[in-house]
Amino acid sequence: MKFRIFTEPQQGATYDDILAVAQATERLGFDAFFRSDHYQAMGDGDGLPGPTDAWTTLAGLARETKRIRLGTLVSSVTYRPPGILAIQVAQVDQMSGGRVELGLGTGWFEQEHLAYGIPFPAKRFGMLEEQLEVLTGLWNTPVGQRYDFAGEHYALVDSPALPKPVQARVPVIVGGGGAKRTPKLAARFATEFNLPFPDFADIAAKFDGVRAACEAIGRNPAELTYSAALIAVGGHDEAAFTRRAAAVGREPGELREHGLAGTASEIADRLGTLADSGVECVYLQIMDLYDLDHLSWLAAEVVPQLR
């Protein structure tokens, strides 16, 4: 099982705060550092000192880390036209020496769009489908050839389809709980299917839906990685766990029910159940970016039990 650190910097963090977590992620042996792509804090927090742009952040981290994978979970199709996003991802892939992954979704948080003047169409799934087609089309067009696309939402004419990523195929993450359209989209375009904060009882069936969608188009389901993102809050004893739960504004009981929470043995048991459901990669959502001891504890006490 792979373990990745997943952060929510829109809740309040500077680039230097994010860098400290990313470098700890690398030092402690985790597989990757991912961040959300949001522009406004959620809930009761003030979000100070303000948001950071996901791809600007990842460009910086590309030069200040050496091993870990870097990506978004997930970028919204409402933020960037696909041609611009293709350039950004390819450039950061070059800057990192081929360590970038792209999670892409429809977006959902209308308030941040209103706050920053970003259009938020009522129907966005068609935008997601076309963006995935354009992104992969641009990257796959041989150097020296041109790319054209005419869709309902986007049109590209005589594009040089440059620059190219370092990786022959940039890993693309598609996720969500939809029963029909999302699995089909993952089967067509994704290298990874992710379930964000799923009900544990639903995981195996959701993965089976993606496997069936792959088989329907003649794709080997084993080509995809199957992952889940879950909040992680733990400690060496109940007092440490309760303190960390309070620091992120969550109730211990609720965390145990819906996340990876409690003592090391509790979290390891839950991860074992996830593995039995088909989860191959786990994104550990870390909400307190200033508690680097939490990362050290997870790396030392939890991860070794699953490897």
Side-chain angles (χ1 to χ4, degrees), residues 253-272:
E254 180 267 329
L255 285 170
R256 281 189 163 106
E257 182 179 357
H258 299 291
L260 301 168
T263 62
S265 60
E266 287 180 284
I267 295 175
D269 287 346
R270 177 68 80 182
L271 288 166

Side-chain angles (χ1 to χ4, degrees), residues 104-125:
L104 193 63
T106 59
W108 61 272
F109 190 26
E110 185 176 11
Q111 178 54 43
E112 66 187 341
H113 293 74
L114 294 172
Y116 288 97
I118 305 168
F120 189 70
K123 295 183 179 181
R124 302 176 302 282
F125 198 89

Side-chain angles (χ1 to χ4, degrees), residues 59-269:
L61 297 181
R63 307 303 280 185
E64 299 195 82
T65 60
K66 297 184 182 302
R67 177 189 58 81
I68 52 173
R69 310 287 297 175
L70 301 166
T72 53
L73 204 66
V74 293
S75 290
S76 171
V77 295
T78 56
Y79 294 159
R80 306 166 188 92
I84 298 299
L85 182 59
I87 292 169
Q88 290 177 311
V89 175
Q91 183 177 4
V92 178
D93 197 50
Q94 292 174 359
M95 294 170 69
S96 68
R99 293 185 285 126
V100 158
E101 304 189 14
L102 170 65
L104 193 63
T106 59
W108 61 272
F109 190 26
E110 185 176 11
Q111 178 54 43
E112 66 187 341
H113 293 74
L114 294 172
Y116 288 97
I118 305 168
F120 189 70
K123 295 183 179 181
R124 302 176 302 282
F125 198 89
M127 295 171 63
L128 175 59
E129 185 172 12
E130 287 190 17
Q131 284 215 10
L132 288 167
E133 184 144 354
V134 169
L135 288 162
T136 54
L138 288 168
W139 293 332
N140 292 333
T141 298
V143 174
Q145 295 186 20
R146 298 280 170 155
Y147 177 76
D148 292 274
F149 178 83
E152 180 182 349
H153 304 281
Y154 307 102
L156 286 76
V157 179
D158 198 30
S159 173
L162 296 172
K164 299 302 185 191
V166 171
Q167 299 176 91
R169 182 175 186 179
V170 173
V172 172
I173 303 163
V174 172
K180 294 182 179 180
R181 298 179 73 183
T182 300
K184 290 180 180 179
L185 208 60
R188 285 182 61 197
F189 296 107
T191 55
E192 178 179 328
F193 176 74
N194 177 264
L195 287 173
F197 315 108
D199 290 332
F200 297 116
D202 295 340
I203 292 175
K206 297 291 187 183
F207 287 167
D208 284 344
V210 175
R211 293 187 184 99
C214 287
E215 291 170 350
I217 62 171
R219 184 178 182 187
N220 182 356
E223 292 179 4
L224 272 71
T225 297
Y226 298 85
S227 67
L230 293 156
I231 189 170
V233 181
H236 67 276
D237 59 18
E238 190 65 21
F241 164 55
T242 301
R243 173 177 56 80
R244 286 195 169 113
V248 298
R250 301 285 287 269
E251 292 295 327
E254 180 267 329
L255 285 170
R256 281 189 163 106
E257 182 179 357
H258 299 291
L260 301 168
T263 62
S265 60
E266 287 180 284
I267 295 175
D269 287 346

